[in-house]
Amino acid sequence: MATPLPRLTLVIGGARSGKSRFAEGLATAHPAPWIYVATAEAHDDEMADRITHHRSRRAEGWTTIEAPRDLAGAILAQHALSIAAKHAGASVLLIDCLTLWLTNVMLGGGDVEREQTRLLEALASAAIPVIAVSNEVGMGIVPDNALARAFRDAQGRLNAAVAQQADHVVLMAAGLPLTLKAP
């Protein structure tokens, strides 16, 4: 039997570092069904291909909820969803990813601070363990435009706030998990 999941796990890392695959492995170490909250939107062919690739990796047992903007609402609704027949007994909720969600909020003109507060409150009240995937975007060069700098800063604040609240934080680097905060 797998070790019980902490209330909140954050899996963070750079692009193509293995974050999603690692998070999915944490989830599938527990009995199905699992809930996958997807935040990506396919605005171009390349992103559509990425979404298709992610979907193809998920075996039977996953239920996908699309939540590109109202992530807090999806987390809060998961309790109601988990009691519905097709979600009965869900063992974990996986969010992939916080970075695309933040992008959607910012580009949609949302109130980033308000949405972050809603998200943190929803994570704190989740009825089942949550695994959240996010990108570490603050280790590179300073972006050359105001929007990119604002995004980098907002992502850094979001990652720090979720990590503070999380019981378990894993940094993925070169496909290897590095535990930053142990449960």
Side-chain angles (χ1 to χ4, degrees):
M1 174 143 199
T3 304
L5 282 169
R7 179 188 51 76
L8 177 59
T9 298
L10 174 63
V11 179
I12 190 169
R16 299 290 189 209
S17 62
K19 300 176 303 292
S20 295
R21 189 178 301 274
F22 180 81
E24 291 164 7
L26 288 177
T28 58
H30 298 273
W34 314 283
I35 298 173
Y36 191 100
V37 180
T39 63
E41 291 184 300
H43 294 292
D44 58 40
D45 291 342
E46 186 270 338
M47 188 54 123
D49 289 345
R50 284 177 181 256
I51 291 169
T52 298
H53 174 74
H54 273 248
R55 283 182 182 149
S56 71
R57 272 203 324 247
R58 295 194 296 271
E60 192 171 316
W62 286 100
T63 296
T64 300
I65 298 168
E66 303 287 338
R69 288 179 191 81
D70 189 12
L71 184 53
I75 295 166
L76 293 171
Q78 62 79 29
H79 178 68
L81 292 171
S82 69
I83 61 175
K86 91 183 216 186
H87 303 285
S91 62
V92 65
L93 184 143
L94 190 152
I95 301 165
D96 198 357
C97 75
L98 297 179
T99 308
L100 290 173
W101 168 78
L102 179 62
T103 299
N104 296 337
V105 169
M106 289 184 75
L107 294 179
D111 182 333
V112 172
E113 287 185 35
R114 183 176 79 76
E115 291 303 316
Q116 178 175 311
T117 298
R118 285 185 66 228
L119 173 62
L120 294 171
E121 289 170 355
L123 290 170
S125 66
I128 58 176
V130 175
I131 301 168
V133 175
S134 192
N135 284 280
E136 174 53 70
V137 299
M139 294 178 152
I141 61 171
V142 175
D144 70 347
N145 66 77
L147 176 60
R149 287 189 299 274
F151 173 77
R152 180 209 50 200
D153 293 349
Q155 185 68 58
R157 287 189 295 272
L158 174 62
N159 287 343
V162 174
Q164 180 66 33
Q165 190 168 315
D167 306 296
H168 185 207
V169 179
V170 176
L171 171 67
M172 295 298 297
L176 300 173
L178 304 167
T179 299
L180 301 180
K181 186 177 186 181

